[in-house]
Amino acid sequence: MNDRLSKLQQDITLIELVDRVLNKGVVLAGDITLSVADVDLIYVSLRALLASAGTIDRLQLDTG
Amino acid sequence: MLYLYAFAERPVRLPDGLGLEGSALSAEEADGVTAVVSAVTGGTVRPSEEAVLAHAHVVDALAELNEAVVPARFGRAFSDAERLRRVMAERSDALGRALRHVRGCVELGLRAIPPANATGEAPASGRDYMRWRLAEQHRIERLGDDLDAPLAALARASTGMQTAPGLLSAAYLVPRERVDDFRRAVRELERTHGGVALACTGPWPPYSFATADPDGS
């Protein structure tokens, strides 16, 4: 149980990291930015880390 | 081009590590605000897992060395230093305000999975179902308020509780010396709210509190 919870905490931490770096943080009117499609590409390449739906399912199984 | 990681106060302490594509970090100043950047070749930001993590590592290292760091969103770059300084000068009031707001604080994240509804399964019929949905929504919102209030009291700022189906989440700007108190408060909330699963993440650099809008919002 403790191992599973600590793995879960790691997954959540990675999801939260990627969410912060890509979606939060200050934005100024820079002249070079990523397109929305580029950001989507990053999400695709990070899907192994993200797997957020699966993580939430497991969280509910663990605590339900 | 100059890739942007974060803003800091003068004099900034730069970490030893490298930025995107192994580039060296440097500082650009305008109107009392410092931008941490690195010169990256090419005219576009190439998105990749490595680049996202490199950005995160630079911001983390900066936040460890400096009292006030306002992270920039991933993927922002400027064609040259003059252009960057001009944009910084336009927003210097807001950037200064943002830096003062986060000084001495870290961001802590909270995710909560509410306990399953004691009243059981969703009713099948239309009107009963809508009534059930509404009651369920109120239950989640009440739980969110109950969890948020004691934590917001320990924080300098809160994003407020965001609700998604089956999940509550929030971020808090917490003075470093209160991080242990905050974590204790989360454990206490888990104990007093039977069945709710809480995860406290961080400390993060204050990404969720990094804004430089001219109106101060």
Side-chain angles (χ1 to χ4, degrees):
Chain A
M1 184 69 182
N2 281 341
D3 283 354
R4 284 162 74 202
L5 277 182
S6 104
K7 173 73 171 71
L8 188 65
Q9 184 87 31
Q10 283 173 19
D11 287 353
I12 291 174
T13 298
L14 275 168
I15 292 162
E16 292 224 338
L17 169 72
V18 172
D19 183 47
R20 278 176 172 77
V21 175
L22 293 185
N23 298 319
K24 307 282 164 66
V26 78
V27 176
L28 296 184
D31 53 0
I32 301 167
T33 63
L34 290 175
S35 69
V36 172
D38 286 338
V39 172
D40 285 347
L41 270 182
I42 298 173
Y43 270 111
V44 170
S45 82
L46 288 167
R47 68 183 182 282
L49 304 183
L50 283 166
S52 54
T55 300
I56 289 164
D57 285 350
R58 266 182 291 137
L59 191 54
Q60 283 173 329
L61 280 178
D62 280 349
T63 58
Chain B
M1 64 177 185
L2 288 178
Y3 181 85
L4 174 65
Y5 300 90
F7 295 98
E9 290 173 321
R10 219 169 50 149
V12 66
R13 295 180 65 195
L14 292 178
D16 292 332
L18 299 172
L20 267 65
E21 301 172 19
S23 54
L25 301 177
S26 61
E28 292 291 339
E29 292 184 3
D31 283 13
V33 175
T34 302
V36 176
V37 297
S38 69
V40 175
T41 53
T44 59
V45 181
R46 279 182 290 279
S48 67
E49 187 175 323
E50 291 74 25
V52 171
L53 294 179
H55 178 108
H57 285 149
V58 169
V59 175
D60 272 350
L62 278 168
E64 279 189 17
L65 291 172
N66 298 275
E67 276 292 284
V69 169
V70 169
R73 193 171 301 184
F74 177 80
R76 265 58 189 186
F78 295 80
S79 49
D80 55 52
E82 189 196 342
R83 166 102 192 185
L84 169 61
R85 282 197 297 265
R86 196 162 63 236
V87 175
M88 286 167 71
E90 284 167 10
R91 297 287 192 88
S92 61
D93 285 354
L95 287 170
R97 210 162 37 233
L99 285 163
R100 285 191 295 279
H101 186 53
V102 303
R103 189 187 293 145
C105 289
V106 296
E107 177 177 331
L108 295 174
L110 181 79
R111 286 191 175 219
I113 304 286
N117 193 345
T119 60
E121 295 291 304
S125 83
R127 181 187 293 184
D128 286 349
Y129 176 75
M130 291 313 289
R131 199 173 287 152
W132 177 87
R133 272 284 300 272
L134 199 61
E136 189 59 11
Q137 195 181 328
H138 287 159
R139 182 180 72 96
I140 301 295
E141 283 170 6
R142 264 199 313 278
L143 175 65
D145 291 345
D146 285 355
L147 296 175
D148 182 63
L151 298 177
L154 291 169
R156 186 174 297 172
S158 159
T159 57
M161 202 62 80
Q162 321 284 313
T163 62
L167 180 69
L168 292 159
S169 62
Y172 298 86
L173 187 64
V174 181
R176 285 178 195 279
E177 65 273 14
R178 285 204 211 135
V179 167
D180 290 344
D181 290 346
F182 188 96
R183 290 219 173 94
R184 256 194 302 278
V186 171
R187 285 196 296 273
E188 181 64 13
L189 283 169
E190 197 163 36
R191 200 178 62 75
T192 52
H193 289 72
V196 66
L198 297 179
C200 182
T201 64
W204 306 100
Y207 283 97
S208 301
F209 301 92
T211 61
D213 294 335
D215 62 2
S217 65

